[in-house]
Amino acid sequence: MGWESPSHWVIIALVVLVLFGYKKLPEMSRSVGRSLRIFKTEIKGMGQDDAARDSAETVTPGTDQPSALTPPVVTPPAVTSPVVAPPVVAPPVVTPPPAATAVNPTVTTPPTAEETPQQRTQTG
């Protein structure tokens, strides 16, 4: 007892009917039929394309025509010089004017910890 038994096919048909419903079965079978028809025409087209390519590849002896099996000659692209960006000019460096080295007599220095207020008035 295998899949050849009619009772197995009846059970499978009932399961499909329950899963998809009786309204969708004709639509699904039409869709499968269309898909198979398209598949067959594509397979025939591929066979015809192969036959046309095979007939084009054969070269009669004594002719100088290259066969379709020889690779095409590829020319390398023209060599061009690389694009170079214009040089970047750095802004000039500005140096601050030199600081005055003379001591300003009006500026007093803060007292240190060892100085007393009396010593500060005597020096200043």
Side-chain angles (χ1 to χ4, degrees):
M1 299 294 258
W3 287 103
E4 299 88 28
S5 172
S7 63
H8 289 136
W9 288 108
V10 170
I11 292 172
I12 290 174
L14 287 174
V15 169
V16 169
L17 186 65
V18 168
L19 286 176
F20 297 108
Y22 69 94
K23 290 184 179 181
K24 295 212 178 195
L25 286 179
E27 181 183 329
M28 287 175 37
S29 61
R30 267 187 244 115
S31 175
V32 169
R34 283 188 205 129
S35 299
L36 288 176
R37 197 174 315 121
I38 291 170
F39 182 73
K40 284 182 184 180
T41 56
E42 291 295 322
I43 294 296
K44 282 183 183 178
M46 286 176 53
Q48 291 170 353
D49 289 345
D50 289 342
R53 186 181 65 222
D54 289 341
S55 66
E57 287 177 354
T58 58
V59 177
T60 57
T63 61
D64 292 337
Q65 296 176 352
S67 74
L69 296 176
T70 58
V73 177
V74 179
T75 57
V79 178
T80 58
S81 61
V83 177
V84 179
V88 178
V89 178
V93 179
V94 179
T95 57
T101 55
V103 178
N104 191 350
T106 59
V107 176
T108 60
T109 58
T112 59
E114 295 86 27
E115 280 185 275
T116 62
Q118 293 170 348
Q119 291 173 338
R120 191 178 60 187
T121 55
Q122 291 173 357
T123 59

